[in-house]
Amino acid sequence: MSLCELKAAQSAMYLIRRYAIDEQSADALLQWLKPYEDFTYRQVGDWQALAGLSLKKSMLPKASSQYAQDLIDKMVLLIKEELHHFYQVLEVMAEQGIVYEKITSSRYAKGLLRHVRTYEPEAMIDKLICGAYIEARSCERFAKLAPFLPQRIADFYISLLRSEARHYQDYLSLAQQIAQADISERVAFFGVIEAELITTPDADFKFHSGVPQ
């Protein structure tokens, strides 16, 4: 699950680097995430050292973007929370004696993003809608799993659920703001794709997997 938290942070980082901030701010974001990525993908560093890391620079919005500041405000907060969750997951794993192992991503996010339009601002709107679905599905899975887990982990899942609920609402509100038109048809379009991803047989058992094959 720690990989899910890092992927969520990376997705939010991509959005603000692509659409909202200047080059120096983008470099600062990359440096912020690098120790997490080094640990996750290259097994470099000590996970406990991640606790003290923070963003060292204010994010400066692109002057040409009317929605940049809202995107920065919501996505930087999301990144901070997801990276904190990443650390918390590793902390729980250490408590439970579970050794961290490198794993690959599931088909879920790629399956959604495959249908994103290729022109702007529609591409950005679609990416935000996909982000909303990913966060909302996380809420559902945390809620479904919590009753079957030891109290310590169940309480942790419920705390994560509350953050994910706000995240998916932030994604949707940004998509609506940028579209300046009703996005319900596009939300429904991705809803059909998302439903197929979680209800069809899936050989790869992960947090956002479909039905176990």
Side-chain angles (χ1 to χ4, degrees):
M1 197 177 72
S2 59
L3 181 62
C4 294
E5 307 298 338
L6 180 60
K7 287 290 186 183
Q10 289 174 316
S11 296
M13 181 189 72
Y14 168 80
L15 287 171
I16 51 180
R17 287 184 63 223
R18 171 72 174 80
Y19 296 108
I21 56 177
D22 66 7
E23 189 173 344
Q24 287 185 326
S25 298
D27 288 342
L29 272 183
L30 288 174
Q31 291 305 310
W32 184 22
L33 263 70
K34 187 177 184 301
Y36 296 90
E37 293 171 335
D38 284 343
F39 176 81
T40 302
Y41 303 121
R42 293 172 281 278
Q43 281 76 61
V44 173
D46 178 4
W47 69 268
Q48 291 174 310
L50 301 175
L53 300 179
S54 62
L55 182 60
K56 303 298 185 184
K57 183 184 185 303
S58 297
M59 298 290 98
L60 299 178
K62 292 180 179 177
S64 59
S65 175
Q66 60 183 359
Y67 49 75
Q69 193 60 58
D70 282 342
L71 188 63
I72 291 168
D73 292 343
K74 288 184 170 64
M75 293 296 102
V76 169
L77 177 60
L78 185 150
I79 294 169
K80 287 180 179 178
E81 292 182 338
E82 297 292 6
L83 293 180
H84 180 57
H85 296 163
F86 177 86
Y87 179 85
Q88 287 180 302
V89 172
L90 295 176
E91 198 172 37
V92 171
M93 289 174 64
E95 289 175 4
Q96 302 295 318
I98 301 170
V99 177
Y100 177 84
E101 294 182 13
K102 182 180 176 181
I103 61 172
T104 57
S105 302
S106 70
R107 68 179 187 177
Y108 179 79
K110 290 179 183 177
L112 287 171
L113 294 170
R114 191 174 296 125
H115 299 274
V116 167
R117 291 171 286 188
T118 57
Y119 47 92
E120 301 293 357
E122 283 77 7
M124 183 183 186
I125 293 163
D126 283 356
K127 289 169 189 172
L128 290 165
I129 292 171
C130 288
Y133 269 110
I134 293 167
E135 297 289 336
R137 184 58 62 190
S138 295
C139 285
E140 181 254 5
R141 302 243 154 147
F142 284 132
K144 293 292 185 181
L145 288 169
F148 301 98
L149 297 171
Q151 195 62 48
R152 161 78 171 96
I153 301 177
D155 290 344
F156 177 47
Y157 273 29
I158 295 301
S159 72
L160 294 179
L161 185 159
R162 296 190 183 105
S163 294
E164 309 300 320
R166 190 180 68 260
H167 294 169
Y168 91 74
Q169 292 166 0
D170 284 346
Y171 271 118
L172 279 182
S173 67
L174 283 167
Q176 183 66 69
Q177 175 189 342
I178 293 163
Q180 297 183 341
D182 184 19
I183 61 171
S184 57
E185 184 176 334
R186 200 63 187 164
V187 171
F189 168 81
F190 279 104
V192 173
I193 297 164
E194 200 266 353
E196 182 177 6
L197 287 166
I198 63 161
T199 56
T200 53
D202 192 344
D204 188 16
F205 185 66
K206 301 279 175 58
F207 191 66
H208 288 90
S209 297
V211 178
Q213 201 170 59

